[in-house]
Amino acid sequence: MKLPPGPIAAITQRGDAMAALLVRWAEINSGSANQAGLKRMADALVDEFARAFPAAQVERIPLGSGQNSLSPYALSIRLRPGARRQVLLSGHYDTVYDADHAFQTCTRISPNLLRGPGVADMKGGIVVLLEALRAFECLQSDPACAQPDPLGWQVLLTPDEETGSVLSEALLMETAKRHELALVFEPARPNGNLVRARMGTGIFTATCRGRAAHAGRDPQAGRNAIVALAEFLVEADAAAKSVEGALLNIGAIRGGGTVNIVPDFAAADLNLRVDGATAETELWSALNRAAFRINQREGYRLEFGGRMNRPPKAVTPADEKLFVAYRDCAAGLGLQVDWQDVAGGSDGNFLSAKGLPCLDGIGPIGDHLHSSEESVQLDSLVSRAQVAAVLLDRYSRGR
C-alpha cells in the first residue's frame, strides 16, 4: 500500500480531536423545527470553518420568507470561487431530534462506537468533510504541490434536509449549476457501502370529509369520515406493496371529536417513495382508484394534498466513473468499498436531478439512524476523511 501525502496520513493522528468535535456538535440540539438550536449549530459551524479556512468566504444564506433572527439559513463556505474547476461538498446540519426529545447527549458505548443524536446523520459527515478539506488545503499550501489550475470548492450545509429540503431546494438546484461534481457526506450504510441510487420522496395528506350527525338519535344520517379514511388507508397500504419500486408509510392520523357525534373529518399524512416514473404512475393509479371508490358514496369526499418533494436519484455513467475513482482511492488506503441502492432521500437527489455527477453516502459508517440508538464507528471518521481527501487531491491534479 502506497502511503498518502503527509497531511492525509496525518488525519490518523486526529481521531480523538474529530471525536471530541463531533460530541460537541451532536450535543447542540438542531432539530429541524428548533430554530434557536439551528442558529446555535450554525454559529458553531461558522466558527469552526472560519478558523480552519481563514481565506474562505463564509456566508449565511436566508431561506424562506419573513426573515428574522431565528429564521433558518443555509451555510456556504467557498474557497477560490473564481477557479475554473469547482467541486461542491454537500451536507445538512439539522437532525430529526426535537428540542424536547429524550435523546440529547452522547455516550461512548465502546472504544470505537459513539451513540448520540446526529452523530452519523449527519454531524459526523460534516466532521469528515471538514477534516478532508483541512488535509487537502494543507497540500495546496505546499509549493511542491502547487497546481497551475487550482481547484475551487464550496461547502453547502442546509438546515431542513430532514423535513424534505423544502426551503433549500431552489438553492441546491441553483448551486449545482456552478460545479463539476458533488460529494455528499451523508452516512455510509452499516456495512460500509456508499449510496448508489435513492428513491424519490413525497409527503401527502389524504383528507376525508363526511357528514356529522348525532351518534345515538340519528346515526344513519351521518357519514363517518374516520371509518372511510381507515378503509382507504388499508387499501392504499396493500396497493403500495403490490407496486415494484414503491413504498408508502402512513404517518399521523387525526380527526373526529366528541364521541357522540359521527365524525365528519379525518386526515392522514402519507410518505411516498418511488424509484422512478413507472413506479410513481402505478402507485398513484392505485391510490386514485381507492379514493374513487370512497368518492362514489353519497356524502363522502376524499382528496389529496402535497407533492413529491424529491426526485429519484438515478445512476449516470458519470456517477459510475466517480464511484470507481473513489473505490480506487479507498483501495490505495487498504480499504474495500462498494455501493448500494437505498430508499431514503438526501440533498443529493436535487443535485443529481440537475445533471451534476454526485457521489453520496461518503460520510462515516453509522447505524440506527433516526432513533435513540443512532451510532457511528469512530475509526470511520478518520478513514472516510482520508479517502475524500485523496479523491480531492487526485481530482485537482487531473487524475
Side-chain angles (χ1 to χ4, degrees), residues 355-369:
L356 186 64
C358 186
L359 190 61
D360 202 342
I362 67 170
I365 301 172
D367 202 358
H368 305 297
L369 309 185

Side-chain angles (χ1 to χ4, degrees), residues 29-43 45 59-64 67 70-76 90-98 121-123 126 155-172 186 310 347 350:
N29 181 278
S30 56
S32 303
N34 181 7
Q35 298 304 327
L38 286 169
K39 183 179 185 301
R40 287 194 297 273
M41 186 64 211
D43 290 344
L45 289 166
E59 183 181 5
R60 304 171 195 249
I61 304 174
L63 302 173
Q67 295 300 315
L70 291 183
S71 294
Y73 45 81
L75 298 179
S76 170
S90 170
H92 65 89
Y93 64 95
D94 63 324
T95 72
V96 298
Y97 307 101
D98 293 333
D121 188 18
M122 66 166 290
K123 293 176 181 179
I126 303 176
V155 175
L156 184 63
L157 305 176
T158 60
D160 62 339
E161 190 275 345
E162 296 292 5
T163 54
S165 303
V166 175
L167 296 176
S168 301
E169 177 181 352
L171 175 63
L172 288 161
E186 288 282 351
R310 281 195 180 102
D347 286 342
F350 295 117

Side-chain angles (χ1 to χ4, degrees), residues 14 19-20 23 36 46 50 95 119 166 176 185 191 232 239 260 262 275 284 298 311 322 327 340 356 358 362 375 386:
R14 288 188 49 78
V23 169
V46 167
T95 72
V119 291
V166 175
F185 287 79
N191 61 3
F232 164 79
N260 64 350
V262 176
D275 65 4
W284 273 111
E298 188 274 330
L322 187 52
R327 186 183 62 193
Q340 68 186 72
L356 186 64
C358 186
I362 67 170
S375 62
Q386 288 182 309

Side-chain angles (χ1 to χ4, degrees), residues 49 67 89 206 228 303 369 372:
F49 276 91
Q67 295 300 315
L89 299 94
E303 298 176 319
L369 309 185
S372 296

Side-chain angles (χ1 to χ4, degrees), residues 258-345:
T258 305
V259 294
N260 64 350
I261 299 174
V262 176
D264 63 355
F265 172 83
D269 296 329
L270 312 176
N271 177 234
L272 277 61
R273 297 171 187 265
V274 296
D275 65 4
T278 299
E280 182 176 353
T281 298
E282 291 182 6
L283 178 58
W284 273 111
S285 294
L287 295 180
N288 286 325
R289 286 194 298 270
F292 178 78
R293 283 187 277 276
I294 299 296
N295 291 332
Q296 287 295 98
R297 303 173 189 174
E298 188 274 330
Y300 290 99
R301 186 66 190 169
L302 193 146
E303 298 176 319
F304 300 107
R307 69 185 184 104
M308 294 298 293
N309 64 296
R310 281 195 180 102
K313 180 187 179 298
V315 179
T316 68
D319 294 334
E320 298 272 3
K321 290 178 65 177
L322 187 52
F323 171 72
V324 169
Y326 183 94
R327 186 183 62 193
D328 290 346
C329 293
L333 294 167
L335 304 172
Q336 293 185 339
V337 297
D338 203 345
W339 61 349
Q340 68 186 72
D341 297 345
V342 303

